[in-house]
Amino acid sequence: MRRPTVVVVGDALLDVDVSGDASRLAPDSPVPVIDHVIESARPGGAALAAALTAAEHVDVTLVTALGDDPSSQRLRELLPRGVALLELPLRGELARKVRVRAGGQSLARLDYGAGVAIDGSCGDPVRAALANADAVLVSDYGRGVAAAAR
């Protein structure tokens, strides 16, 4: 019996958590000082949907826009082996969401990158993947991939 195939189409993000302890305030302003910092990154957006779907023992193809920037490269490294990647070109830098946390509490979120998929960039491999999929999951964050993959 063949495994089901799912195509995830949408805007990938890079999620980063910066976590530590906050036991004192900065002397120059009343803000917490984060000590013992640990940084961890994971797929976000459509890439998270693809990673979670792959964990369910199905064949997953992620259709998303990635570029040559460090966030795009890091996301490629973080995708699990069970996710096949069909890349559309990205104009700009991949969105990176950095959450600063202390004691399990979110203190701030820093957003970097405003890259968007280049319009009209969908090719034959994407069309074939969509035509042969048992299911298509769309994860649209308004960065153009869903429109480009029509």
Side-chain angles (χ1 to χ4, degrees):
M1 180 173 237
R2 77 171 184 85
R3 290 168 35 134
T5 59
V6 175
V7 175
V8 177
V9 177
D11 306 299
L13 312 170
L14 180 63
D15 285 337
V16 179
D17 289 327
V18 176
S19 302
D21 299 322
S23 59
R24 61 188 174 96
L25 295 178
D28 57 340
S29 62
V31 296
V33 174
I34 311 298
D35 291 318
H36 313 299
V37 174
I38 297 172
E39 185 174 311
S40 62
R42 66 185 181 285
L48 175 60
L52 293 173
T53 303
E56 296 300 318
H57 308 292
V58 300
D59 292 329
V60 178
T61 299
L62 172 61
V63 177
T64 195
L66 296 174
D68 295 330
D69 58 284
S71 294
S72 291
Q73 183 54 39
R74 183 69 177 125
L75 182 63
R76 285 182 191 97
E77 295 166 359
L78 290 170
L79 287 175
R81 291 181 191 254
V83 176
L85 183 59
L86 289 177
E87 293 186 31
L88 305 178
L90 179 72
R91 180 182 300 120
E93 182 181 346
L94 183 73
R96 178 170 40 113
K97 309 293 184 184
V98 179
R99 291 166 183 83
V100 180
R101 300 173 188 232
Q105 177 68 43
S106 291
L107 303 177
R109 189 178 95 181
L110 310 172
D111 288 0
Y112 300 92
V116 294
I118 296 175
D119 192 31
S121 59
C122 178
D124 290 338
V126 172
R127 288 184 190 92
L130 291 169
N132 294 316
D134 293 311
V136 176
L137 186 156
V138 178
S139 179
D140 189 359
Y141 283 73
R143 296 179 182 267
V145 171
R150 287 186 274 150

